[in-house]
Structures are given as C-alpha cells and as structure tokens.
Amino acid sequence: MYTTKLLKFSFVAALFAISFNGTAQIKTPAPSPAGSVSATVGLTEIEINYSRPQTKGRKIFGEGDAFLVPNGKLWRAGANAGTTIKFSDDVKVAGKDLAAGEYLFLATPGASEWEVVFYTDIALGGNVSGYDDSKAALKAKVKASKLTEMVNTLTYNISDISENSENANIQLTWENTAVNIPVQVSYDEQVMAAIAKNTVVDPANLMAAARYYLSTGKNLDQALTWADTYLSTGENSKQFWNVHAKAQILAKQGNKKEAIKVAKESIAIAKANPSGDFGYVKRNEELIASLK
C-alpha cells in the first residue's frame, strides 16, 4: 500500500514538474535587442543584422578608458555576436572592391576618422581579441561626424541612395556620433546581359530594353529600333504608353518633328481607350510643349 501511494505521488510530482517546466519560461526584453535593416541599391541587396545596445547613461565614444568604446580600439560594432553585413553582388566600399558575400563588420573609432573592417570569419562574432588581420577582406578609413541630437540606441541604416541607384551610405549612429560608409554598386553589366538574353527569348522585353537605353542615354538608335520592332508586332501599336516612350526616344535624339508626330498619335490612342488615358494625354502634351 505504501509503495503504491509513493509511486502515485512520484508520478503526480513528475507531471507537475513537467507542467511547470513547460510553462515557467518567462520572456523579458533583451538588454541589446536584435535589429536588422535591408535595402536594394540598384540590383544589389544589402542586409545588416546586429544587436542594439543603449547608452544607459554611459559615455560611448571618446579618448580614454572612461568611454565604453575608446578611440583607437577595435570594436565589434554592436553588441552580443557583433554585426554582419551581406551583399548580393560585388560592390565598392569607400572606393575599394569587395566581393559579394556576408561579412562581420568591425570598426576602430577615432575622433574624426574611423577605420572599418569587413571580416571574412563570421564565427569570430564579438570576440575581437581573436582578430586575424589576414581575414580582413577590406579595410577603409571613413569620416565621423558629431550629431546635434543624441541617439540612445545603436542604429544602422542604408541611406542616401542616389537618383541613379548606384551609390548609397551604410550609416551607423549612436550617442552623438554618425559614421557614413559609402557603397557603390554596378548593375549595367547585369542589365545588358539580361537584355541580350531576354529580348531573344521574349520580344516583349524589347520595350524594357528600349526604356533602359532611354533612361541611361545609351545607343538611342538601338533603342528606337527595339521600340519600332515591338510596336510593329500584333496589336502593340495600340499601347499608347509605349508609343509615348518612342516619342521620348525621338525627342532625346533631337528629332523634334517626328517626336511631336508620335506624341500626337499616343494622345489619340489614349483618348480612345475606354479604360482611360492613365495620365498619358498630359504627359504627351507636356512633351510636345517642351519641343516647341
């Protein structure tokens, strides 16, 4: 009897322990929560993953051991396992070539200039004492500037993307300091290769190719040939938006008379469209006015 009761008690106690362990997990905010930011610059995906420490009343950047991140000492550029930056294509960082891939991002702060490092061994994590200079894929000097308003939490951003989508800055801000790391991407070779391949496979890509040449100021004669080939196929000549693109190409060539003629054709087709002109009547009118 005693043994039976003892077994029952042990069984109940075990169930209670399992139940307690299964429900006793309590989540609390991390001291340095995870953060990430990504953006497409040109055709290149840039992704940053990091942990975000806060100032918590501490002095962060400066000269001497009174600061959390003293000038002249290698820093993991974040908390916990540090910061990683990933590029989907080859890029230039601060004017230097960097191959596509994922890197551990490290930095050595200075009063007005920082040295940044893109490190190949991600397993190093936040243990910068194990740093091996032979594993640095790229090292560069970048300017640091002072902020007028304090940033309490370490923040990364991909900012200042240029109008032609070829340049951007990887930006680090914390406390009263901002550092911008210039990144340059190249997509022209990729686009040109895609044009060569896809215009053969699918003639519908001819207009995309023509528009790209128009926007980049490449061979406009070729752009016009592609546009004419596309518009002469089937019912494509009724696509007033693509007829307008042809007018733009002609205008950029300096052929004002023909550009005006084609723009008027686009207007007529757009006005006849039962679903509306989608703003192309106005676009064509503005183009015509600019050519007179």
Side-chain angles (χ1 to χ4, degrees):
M1 177 72 73
Y2 176 80
T3 303
T4 302
K5 287 183 177 180
L6 181 60
L7 287 172
K8 285 183 177 179
F9 176 80
S10 299
F11 179 72
V12 171
L15 284 177
F16 179 79
I18 292 170
S19 175
F20 182 82
N21 288 336
T23 59
Q25 305 258 345
I26 299 174
K27 288 187 176 181
T28 59
S32 299
S36 65
V37 62
S38 63
T40 302
V41 183
L43 297 177
T44 300
E45 298 288 340
I46 303 175
E47 180 181 346
I48 304 172
N49 290 286
Y50 65 112
S51 294
R52 309 185 66 195
Q54 297 179 339
T55 56
K56 296 181 179 178
R58 299 172 294 185
K59 295 179 179 180
I60 305 301
F61 301 116
E63 194 67 45
D65 293 335
F67 293 88
L68 180 66
V69 186
N71 290 344
K73 290 191 177 181
L74 187 65
W75 175 47
R76 58 187 167 175
N80 302 329
T83 298
T84 61
I85 302 180
K86 186 176 183 179
F87 303 97
S88 64
D89 302 295
D90 296 350
V91 297
K92 286 183 181 293
V93 175
K96 298 181 179 182
D97 292 330
L98 183 64
E102 187 173 17
Y103 299 91
L104 191 66
F105 178 69
L106 307 171
T108 301
S112 60
E113 186 179 69
W114 285 30
E115 181 177 70
V116 296
V117 181
F118 290 81
Y119 196 74
T120 58
D121 185 7
I122 295 174
L124 178 70
N127 182 24
V128 296
S129 63
Y131 176 84
D132 179 351
D133 199 54
S134 68
K135 295 180 180 179
L138 183 146
K139 297 166 73 173
K141 302 282 189 180
V142 294
K143 297 295 183 184
S145 59
K146 294 298 181 183
L147 300 171
T148 56
E149 294 185 14
M150 189 184 82
V151 177
N152 184 54
T153 306
L154 172 66
T155 301
Y156 281 89
N157 195 15
I158 300 165
S159 62
D160 306 318
I161 298 176
S162 62
E163 191 171 321
N164 63 4
S165 293
E166 290 183 352
N167 297 279
N169 282 321
I170 291 173
Q171 184 184 69
L172 176 159
T173 55
W174 195 19
E175 195 194 30
N176 60 355
T177 299
V179 177
N180 288 310
I181 303 135
V183 177
Q184 182 179 2
V185 304
S186 177
Y187 52 80
D188 189 63
E189 288 184 8
Q190 291 172 267
V191 174
M192 295 298 290
I195 286 172
K197 177 181 177 181
N198 294 313
T199 53
V200 174
V201 176
D202 184 1
N205 288 305
L206 288 167
M207 280 308 303
R211 288 178 182 278
Y212 179 71
Y213 270 36
L214 171 63
S215 67
T216 56
K218 290 185 178 292
N219 188 332
L220 294 174
D221 291 339
Q222 179 63 72
L224 184 61
T225 298
W226 280 331
D228 282 335
T229 302
Y230 177 79
L231 292 170
S232 64
T233 303
E235 298 291 310
N236 292 346
S237 61
K238 294 181 180 179
Q239 296 175 1
F240 50 86
W241 55 95
N242 283 325
V243 176
H244 173 71
K246 177 183 175 179
Q248 288 180 298
I249 294 169
L250 288 163
K252 203 163 187 178
Q253 284 182 317
N255 192 344
K256 294 183 179 182
K257 182 178 180 181
E258 191 65 20
I260 291 171
K261 175 185 173 184
V262 174
K264 287 180 177 179
E265 291 173 3
S266 179
I267 289 173
I269 302 167
K271 286 182 175 179
N273 184 43
S275 299
D277 70 285
F278 307 113
Y280 274 88
V281 169
K282 183 179 179 181
R283 292 188 190 188
N284 280 293
E285 288 174 345
E286 289 174 346
L287 177 62
I288 291 170
S290 72
L291 296 173
K292 290 182 176 179

